[in-house]
Amino acid sequence: MSWLDDLNTGFGVIGFVITVITLIKVQSVHCAQREERALLRRLYGTDSLASHLRSAARFLRQGREDDAHLLAEELVRLCGQIEGISRTLDSMSRSRGGTSGRGAQLVEKGYFVPPFLNRMVNEAQHNLDVVMYRNLQFANVDLLQALERASKRGVHIRVLGLSSVADDSVLEQASMVLPWPRADARTLRRQLADSENRIKDVVEGWSEEARLRFEYRGYTLAPNAHFVRQDRAIFQGFIGTLAPAQPERLEDRGYLELSVATEPGATLARHFDQLWVHSADTVVVGG
């Protein structure tokens, strides 16, 4: 029977060699795709071109001539088109990399910090939905400018934030799960109202084209889910636990990336749509 043992050993060695060769090929394909993506971006020059155009737009906006302002707006629109090319190249690389079939992907940190929000806004192609607790970050001028650019390039944006007119009991519950900076119900109500007014004032200065694609509503129910829906993906962070249970640093919060095609993703999408309808009486901007 020794020849059978030798045969089994031979098959085992062949199987191991095939596995190693397959892994090497997979890694080489991934590496080639990354190199192809970088080469395409260099060939198109999208990053440097968009940067130069934005610098020119900022310079033109400093002048008082109407023609200069119109040219600045046109340059901003061109930047949006260039960013769209970059997002297409990125999505092509990701889809060929084989990750699109995964039900969920865990990202260990970076949920709802400025780089995360900027990426959600800048990479959105069609729709962007956000449901959150406190709206301080959305009153930031830089983020509002990014939202304006996104809406100008055709992205429909809906934002749901905890309303400043919610009952005290709702705000008290929210204050227990809010991370830094901590705020009691009274302070939280003032913060929410100030940010709502700030957002409303800034958005009213947008072009009509941008305003038509942006809506912000406040919800008055006890806060629970907290996530971003960008086109066909949902990014849900681990927020909702008591504040002391959360990471000490905001940037250490992890999150899940889900496809809307999965059942958890579809459930969250339905939650947003139902909460949106429920909040029709507390519109801050749009509608």
Side-chain angles (χ1 to χ4, degrees):
M1 299 297 289
S2 61
W3 65 275
L4 289 176
D5 295 335
D6 294 340
L7 184 61
N8 288 333
T9 301
F11 281 130
V13 171
I14 292 173
F16 176 76
V17 171
I18 292 174
T19 301
V20 171
I21 293 174
T22 301
L23 289 173
I24 293 174
K25 286 184 176 181
V26 169
Q27 292 298 322
S28 64
V29 169
H30 288 174
C31 181
Q33 289 170 348
R34 287 194 297 270
E35 292 176 355
E36 176 190 6
R37 172 182 164 187
L39 177 60
L40 285 172
R41 295 185 74 143
R42 285 198 299 270
L43 289 174
Y44 280 110
T46 54
D47 294 336
S48 61
L49 182 57
S51 177
H52 291 321
L53 288 176
R54 290 202 185 283
S55 297
R58 284 195 296 269
F59 176 78
L60 290 171
R61 281 174 171 169
Q62 294 174 1
R64 298 182 179 180
E65 295 81 3
D66 293 338
D67 290 343
H69 288 187
L70 290 174
L71 180 57
E73 293 299 323
E74 182 62 26
L75 291 178
V76 170
R77 280 193 288 272
L78 287 174
C79 286
Q81 295 176 0
I82 293 169
E83 290 166 351
I85 294 174
S86 297
R87 288 191 301 273
T88 300
L89 294 175
D90 290 342
S91 63
M92 289 170 58
S93 177
R94 285 195 296 268
S95 62
R96 287 196 298 263
T99 59
S100 58
R102 299 173 63 179
Q105 180 179 355
L106 174 64
V107 182
E108 294 187 356
K109 57 179 59 180
Y111 179 66
F112 230 82
V113 292
F116 171 88
L117 291 174
N118 287 328
R119 180 167 61 89
M120 293 295 102
V121 175
N122 293 331
E123 294 184 1
Q125 300 182 37
H126 306 290
N127 300 283
L128 183 70
D129 294 336
V130 180
V131 56
M132 58 189 176
Y133 297 166
R134 185 165 44 196
N135 53 9
L136 294 178
Q137 285 178 290
F138 270 72
N140 179 276
V141 174
D142 291 337
L143 183 59
L144 286 169
Q145 287 180 342
L147 289 166
E148 180 184 13
R149 292 194 296 270
S151 60
K152 281 184 176 180
R153 66 172 185 265
V155 179
H156 292 266
I157 302 168
R158 297 186 297 175
V159 179
L160 278 168
L162 184 59
S163 175
S164 61
V165 300
D167 293 340
D168 287 342
S169 59
V170 172
L171 298 181
E172 288 170 359
Q173 179 173 341
S175 67
M176 291 189 294
V177 299
L178 286 174
W180 184 90
R182 299 293 304 278
D184 56 26
R186 181 178 179 182
T187 302
L188 178 58
R189 187 184 301 280
R190 176 179 53 78
Q191 290 177 347
L192 294 172
D194 290 345
S195 295
E196 288 171 354
N197 292 331
R198 173 64 172 170
I199 293 168
K200 182 177 180 179
D201 290 342
V202 172
V203 173
E204 286 180 347
W206 292 1
S207 66
E208 182 180 1
E209 176 189 11
R211 292 198 307 271
L212 288 174
R213 298 192 185 98
F214 180 85
E215 295 181 83
Y216 180 107
R217 296 181 182 180
Y219 63 86
T220 57
L221 300 177
N224 38 49
H226 188 294
F227 60 89
V228 177
R229 176 168 63 181
Q230 179 200 73
D231 299 323
R232 300 295 297 170
I234 288 183
F235 305 81
Q236 183 182 28
F238 302 126
I239 295 181
T241 56
L242 293 175
Q246 299 180 34
E248 293 183 2
R249 300 191 310 166
L250 299 183
E251 56 266 29
D252 289 338
R253 295 182 302 195
Y255 61 95
L256 286 173
E257 179 179 349
L258 305 166
S259 170
V260 179
T262 63
E263 184 51 40
T267 299
L268 291 173
R270 289 193 298 270
H271 170 82
F272 183 96
D273 293 336
Q274 293 175 14
L275 187 58
W276 184 258
V277 173
H278 187 275
S279 305
D281 293 334
T282 47
V283 173
V284 177
V285 177

